[in-house]
Amino acid sequence: MAATAKFGKPFVAPMSTDHDGFWKVDDTGAYQMVPANGTRECALAMSGGKVRLSSAHPNVVVLADAVTGQPAANNLMTFDSQPFTAFAFKLQAKSVGRTMILAEDARGRHLARLIVSVKAEQTKTYNPLILQDIRRRSKRKFEDITRIMREVEKLYLNQANVRLKTKRLPNVIFLKQDIGDPIDFTKKAVHDDINKALDEIKANSLDFNVVSSWNLVDGHQDVVGIDPAFGKTCFAEDYPDGTPLLNEVDTFAHELGHAFGCVHDGRPSNVLMSGDGSDGLQMTKDDIDMINKTGLTMP
């Protein structure tokens, strides 16, 4: 029986906040973000005899025992099982960079690879804002925005090692005119009015603006959130009362992903940057590397 191997994790539901920067690339390949000076636990599912793991660049990441944290001797770990079995191990970051963990059989035949990106912590600042014009105001309260963004902060730190921080309490963007309901961002006047209001409260001094609004459209298309070419300002419309918190977290985190430069193209369903309306909080490899551009090159 020939040895088989693949890297994986215990199942994490799409709308769970427990995602930690792991992404399955294909049947024999996977990706794991590891924070600088930190660790991540992974698993090797294998069968058919001995499988050896090694780090291509131990100056970036070393293999370690999942229980004790003891680094592997000579940067090698060997697992041996005929029936299908999953073995846990740890990745310990040594320096910012990119490397691969290789799984090979006893003859040195390549079985699977795990791309590892050790990322330096990046800090980005944001304004939590509530939109109001002369006729209406977003229904969310300041405490609602704070509760949602706390969860968004966890997602970005756990999956991309980006620390989102706000230096201000939630504020109101007040527009001295009626911008309509729904808000149509294809209209230049809407852009101009909102940009003027942002300048008046000096919102553009931070990296991003996260705005709670009422109903949104992009031309003739209904949307629940939008990053409408303001460069760093994203909007999330009010949800009905009783909407689960994580559904709102999904929308705010998704639109913030656009502000970082992430796109829908090529994304499957039920991930954070899906473009098909499905729900999910997991970032893909491409999203993680777009949000945090450290750890992209091998030594």
Side-chain angles (χ1 to χ4, degrees):
M1 178 180 178
T4 65
K6 62 175 62 178
F7 293 100
K9 293 267 193 176
F11 174 75
V12 180
M15 288 295 285
S16 170
T17 58
D18 291 335
H19 296 286
D20 70 350
F22 178 84
W23 178 250
K24 181 182 176 183
V25 177
D26 53 37
D27 286 341
T28 61
Y31 169 96
Q32 177 70 61
M33 187 286 299
V34 181
N37 302 315
T39 65
R40 284 290 187 270
E41 186 169 312
C42 288
L44 179 75
M46 52 84 63
S47 64
K50 290 184 179 181
V51 174
R52 183 180 67 181
L53 296 188
S54 63
S55 172
H57 301 94
N59 58 323
V60 175
V61 157
V62 297
L63 300 165
D65 186 275
V67 177
T68 66
Q70 184 69 26
N74 300 316
N75 192 43
L76 294 173
M77 300 186 82
T78 301
F79 302 105
D80 191 353
S81 177
Q82 287 295 330
F84 185 81
T85 308
F87 295 95
F89 63 93
K90 277 187 178 178
L91 301 168
Q92 290 184 352
K94 292 299 180 182
S95 65
V96 174
R98 205 174 195 87
T99 189
M100 286 195 297
I101 307 300
L102 302 175
E104 299 174 327
D105 66 11
R107 298 180 179 179
R109 182 172 63 94
H110 171 78
L111 301 176
R113 73 195 186 285
L114 176 66
I115 301 167
V116 180
S117 178
V118 176
K119 294 191 178 295
E121 182 178 299
Q122 304 290 291
T123 298
K124 296 293 182 179
T125 55
Y126 71 92
N127 287 305
L129 300 168
I130 290 177
L131 188 63
Q132 179 178 356
D133 71 6
I134 59 172
R135 294 193 59 187
R136 56 192 71 80
R137 171 176 170 150
S138 169
K139 294 189 299 182
R140 290 190 182 96
K141 300 176 182 178
F142 290 141
E143 54 265 34
D144 297 330
I145 303 293
T146 299
R147 186 170 65 253
I148 292 167
M149 288 307 298
R150 281 177 183 160
E151 296 301 319
V152 174
E153 290 170 10
K154 292 177 187 176
L155 292 181
Y156 275 74
L157 186 62
N158 291 343
Q159 296 189 59
N161 206 22
V162 169
R163 187 174 297 278
L164 298 172
K165 297 177 68 174
T166 180
K167 297 182 178 179
R168 301 174 179 176
L169 294 174
N171 202 351
V172 173
I173 314 175
F174 181 68
L175 286 80
K176 301 172 185 176
Q177 53 278 327
D178 181 355
I179 62 170
D181 183 11
I183 305 168
D184 186 354
F185 285 103
T186 64
K187 297 179 179 179
K188 183 178 183 300
V190 173
H191 277 256
D192 293 344
D193 291 342
I194 292 178
N195 269 326
K196 182 179 179 181
L198 288 170
D199 288 338
E200 287 176 355
I201 62 172
K202 296 181 172 58
N204 291 325
S205 62
L206 300 186
D207 293 312
F208 301 109
N209 299 308
V210 180
V211 185
S212 177
S213 72
W214 53 92
N215 299 318
L216 301 168
V217 292
D218 187 11
H220 298 292
Q221 180 180 2
D222 290 333
V223 293
V224 295
I226 193 168
D227 174 35
F230 287 100
K232 61 179 186 179
T233 302
C234 49
F235 295 77
E237 73 176 24
D238 293 327
Y239 273 48
D241 293 340
T243 297
L245 173 64
L246 290 182
N247 288 87
E248 301 204 64
V249 171
D250 184 14
T251 299
F252 275 77
H254 176 104
E255 299 309 327
L256 189 58
H258 285 312
F260 272 95
C262 298
V263 297
H264 296 151
D265 295 350
R267 304 303 189 269
S269 297
N270 300 118
V271 299
L272 183 63
M273 298 310 299
S274 296
D276 60 3
S278 59
D279 297 323
L281 298 176
Q282 185 181 17
M283 297 178 184
T284 68
K285 167 186 173 294
D286 291 340
D287 297 330
I288 295 169
D289 285 341
M290 175 61 73
I291 291 166
N292 187 335
K293 294 184 173 65
T294 66
L296 299 182
T297 57
M298 292 187 180

